[in-house]
Amino acid sequence: MRISELSRTTGVPVATVKYYVREGLVPRGDVTSRTQASYGPQHAARVRLVRALSESAGLSLAAVREVLAVLDEPRSRHDLLGAAQHALLLDESGAGAPDADAQDPASPGVEDEATRRARRLAADRGWYEDPLLVHRLAGQLRAAAAADVPVADEHLAVLASAAEEAAAGDVASVPGEPSEALRQVVLGTLLTDPVLLTMRRFAQQRASAAGDGADAAPRAV
Amino acid sequence: MRISELSRTTGVPVATVKYYVREGLVPRGDVTSRTQASYGPQHAARVRLVRALSESAGLSLAAVREVLAVLDEPRSRHDLLGAAQHALLLDESGAGAPDADAQDPASPGVEDEATRRARRLAADRGWYEDPLLVHRLAGQLRAAAAADVPVADEHLAVLASAAEEAAAGDVASVPGEPSEALRQVVLGTLLTDPVLLTMRRFAQQRASAAGDGADAAPRAV
């Protein structure tokens, strides 16, 4: 198909498709004349994927490129997960304060309380103490505490259990074939992060209404 | 204290503090001379809050302004939650495809499958069918399906249960006094969204390693 049809099929404007191709995120079509190229269904799938990652999952184009690089190089399920997570940690939204100092300013060389807490949580839960994840979680705990809304231990424990429940579902949803597994883990996680957070808000309204003894519908703002 | 000390106390550069004041996010200090103003601890708290919301929670300044407006006007716990959620839905990261058409293109006026699915889920779970949340969730499900990574019913059910578990902890963590409750619900949710997603990745590594019978540590990329 021509680029105009590729645009129609995917619902992505021609200019955006051209931009994706120019940036190397979507492979070039087969050249059919000096000014035209022909695209196939694999191009349409790729355009849809790039769009979903950049718009719904909110990744930068640099992060989209990292994700595609991981997707294009198959590995075992577990390796894939690590590779994908590390590619994503470089950019993902909500990454916490990446520039925050993880050292106790009063005692250089000593880990600060947030980092110790993140490590302790990982150890208690049997999670691998992935340095990037520890750094990230510590930054997020530190940011909450700095805003004077520290995350209490009981609250953190409930969120950790919820995260484990979600992760068990994530891994169970991964199909057997490695290439499909990769897609599912990487894209499934990215694209369902916002789903999980939206449902958290639905469920908060329910839980809050139950606590108030009120009707479930919040009054209009 | 002077603005230089306010900057030192909060770790936020003087230029950024001035910007927050100019944008009305932080109140002006008491004018002490033609070129100086004096700031108190309440200014420091507000600067830290604006910083956490914009950097860790990733909100735009417009959304930070909405959140502060909700915080500055006390209401009942349940009303607050609704008000805060609606203020945030306008902007929050991971909002899905807000411009996506919720109508079935083949049959205008008929809800599309993603919207029906979001409504069905809310009804099944006893959640209030908040129109903004339904719209948002439907957009996220549609984006995943468009990227050829549809969220299976079983996967969605597990994520919904995890969201309910997180929400129960969120509401339980809210203290009794209304003004503190407000802070806690609004800021606690915003600032722990990234915490929940980071722990999801920790737990995925664990669950994936268990499934592979491998060591918990993913190999380095």
Side-chain angles (χ1 to χ4, degrees):
Chain A
M1 64 186 120
R2 295 196 183 168
I3 196 163
S4 56
E5 195 185 336
L6 179 61
S7 164
R8 237 184 347 264
T9 307
T10 58
V12 175
V14 169
T16 307
V17 172
K18 284 185 173 169
Y19 178 64
Y20 289 167
V21 172
R22 210 160 54 231
E23 290 286 318
L25 301 170
V26 171
R28 296 187 181 282
D30 295 328
V31 176
T32 54
S33 82
R34 214 165 57 84
T35 57
Q36 287 195 339
S38 165
Y39 299 87
Q42 76 281 14
H43 291 94
R46 189 70 162 223
V47 167
R48 284 197 196 94
L49 177 55
V50 171
R51 218 261 281 257
L53 287 175
S54 62
E55 296 194 0
S56 181
L59 297 191
S60 69
L61 283 194
V64 171
R65 188 172 286 118
E66 290 282 346
V67 172
L68 295 176
V70 172
L71 286 177
D72 290 344
E73 187 198 330
R75 311 176 202 208
S76 85
R77 186 169 76 178
H78 191 49
D79 278 359
L80 276 178
L81 185 63
Q85 288 189 335
H86 282 89
L88 295 172
L89 282 171
L90 301 174
D91 176 278
E92 228 173 359
S93 61
D99 57 334
D101 195 342
Q103 310 269 309
D104 187 334
S107 318
V110 175
E111 276 185 354
D112 77 348
E113 174 53 27
T115 304
R116 275 196 300 274
R117 203 173 165 208
R119 276 195 205 293
R120 212 162 43 225
L121 179 73
D124 288 351
R125 296 269 165 179
W127 299 340
Y128 168 62
E129 291 181 35
D130 186 297
L132 269 170
L133 288 177
V134 167
H135 177 74
R136 191 179 182 191
L137 181 58
Q140 293 160 348
L141 294 174
R142 212 178 291 121
D148 211 16
V149 197
V151 185
D153 281 338
E154 307 76 48
H155 194 191
L156 190 62
V158 174
L159 294 179
S161 297
E164 286 177 340
E165 185 170 355
D170 297 336
V171 171
S173 76
V174 172
E177 323 87 77
S179 69
E180 259 313 290
L182 176 55
R183 278 182 70 80
Q184 186 70 37
V185 171
V186 177
L187 303 179
T189 300
L190 282 174
L191 294 170
T192 57
D193 273 350
V195 169
L196 180 61
L197 298 183
T198 299
M199 294 194 297
R200 183 185 189 188
R201 284 151 182 69
F202 267 117
Q204 280 182 343
Q205 291 188 346
R206 180 86 191 89
S208 165
D212 272 11
D215 188 357
R219 251 171 285 167
V221 195
Chain B
M1 64 186 121
R2 295 197 181 165
I3 197 165
S4 56
E5 195 186 335
L6 179 61
S7 165
R8 239 187 341 268
T9 306
T10 58
V12 175
V14 169
T16 307
V17 172
K18 284 185 174 170
Y19 178 64
Y20 291 167
V21 172
R22 208 160 54 232
E23 290 287 317
L25 301 170
V26 171
R28 297 188 179 279
D30 296 328
V31 176
T32 53
S33 82
R34 214 165 58 82
T35 56
Q36 286 194 340
S38 166
Y39 299 88
Q42 76 281 15
H43 290 95
R46 188 72 162 222
V47 167
R48 285 198 194 92
L49 177 55
V50 172
R51 217 262 280 256
L53 288 175
S54 62
E55 296 195 0
S56 181
L59 298 191
S60 69
L61 282 194
V64 171
R65 188 172 287 116
E66 291 281 348
V67 172
L68 295 176
V70 173
L71 286 177
D72 290 343
E73 187 198 330
R75 312 176 203 211
S76 87
R77 188 169 75 181
H78 190 48
D79 277 0
L80 276 178
L81 185 63
Q85 288 188 336
H86 282 90
L88 294 172
L89 282 172
L90 301 175
D91 177 277
E92 227 173 359
S93 62
D99 57 333
D101 196 344
Q103 310 267 314
D104 188 333
S107 317
V110 175
E111 277 184 355
D112 76 348
E113 172 53 26
T115 304
R116 275 195 302 273
R117 202 171 167 209
R119 277 194 205 291
R120 210 161 47 225
L121 179 74
D124 288 350
R125 297 267 165 180
W127 299 339
Y128 167 61
E129 290 182 35
D130 185 296
L132 268 170
L133 288 176
V134 167
H135 177 73
R136 191 179 183 190
L137 181 59
Q140 293 160 347
L141 294 174
R142 212 177 290 122
D148 211 16
V149 197
V151 185
D153 282 337
E154 307 77 46
H155 194 190
L156 190 62
V158 174
L159 294 179
S161 296
E164 287 177 340
E165 185 171 353
D170 297 336
V171 171
S173 77
V174 173
E177 324 88 79
S179 70
E180 259 313 290
L182 175 55
R183 277 182 71 79
Q184 186 71 37
V185 171
V186 177
L187 303 178
T189 300
L190 281 174
L191 294 170
T192 57
D193 272 349
V195 169
L196 181 61
L197 299 184
T198 299
M199 293 195 297
R200 183 186 189 188
R201 283 150 182 71
F202 267 117
Q204 279 181 344
Q205 292 189 346
R206 180 84 191 91
S208 165
D212 272 11
D215 188 356
R219 250 172 283 166
V221 196

